[in-house]
Amino acid sequence: MHTIKDKAKLLTRVRRIQGQTAALERQLDEEGDCTAVLQQIAAIRGAVNGLMAAIIEGHLTDHVVREPELEQRQQDLEAVLQVIKSYLK
């Protein structure tokens, strides 16, 4: 499973996002500069998008491209497409 194989890299990304959200919380709590707050939000969004892209790539590779069973491949593809549609709303 790709999330197990890439566990260390994915956890590093998650921890970076946690650090960014903690910094945002501090900025808001301390009534920080609006521009800095906006930049931090943009950085968080970029980090989350990168995490999502990495997991989608792994999922498509492991569960769609390399899946030998057509029916399972179709189910896995449909599941990830639903998540992508939800994410893009």
Side-chain angles (χ1 to χ4, degrees):
M1 179 177 246
H2 61 93
T3 54
I4 302 294
K5 177 179 64 179
D6 297 330
K7 181 179 176 178
K9 289 179 185 178
L10 296 174
L11 286 174
T12 298
R13 286 177 177 259
V14 169
R15 289 180 183 120
R16 187 176 313 124
I17 293 166
Q18 288 173 329
Q20 290 171 321
T21 58
L24 176 60
E25 182 178 6
R26 282 191 303 276
Q27 287 173 321
L28 292 171
D29 188 47
E30 297 167 3
E31 300 177 14
D33 176 67
C34 290
T35 302
V37 168
L38 290 169
Q39 288 172 335
Q40 190 63 30
I41 293 168
I44 292 167
R45 182 176 185 211
V48 170
N49 286 344
L51 176 62
M52 179 64 104
I55 292 179
I56 287 172
E57 180 181 342
H59 178 83
L60 290 176
T61 301
D62 288 356
H63 298 285
V64 178
V65 174
R66 295 182 183 153
E67 173 57 51
E69 299 295 325
L70 176 61
E71 186 176 330
Q72 184 62 50
R73 190 167 54 238
Q74 290 173 329
Q75 289 175 3
D76 290 341
L77 177 60
E78 184 59 35
V80 78
L81 288 175
Q82 288 301 321
V83 171
I84 292 169
K85 288 176 187 176
S86 174
Y87 185 74
L88 294 175
K89 283 185 179 181

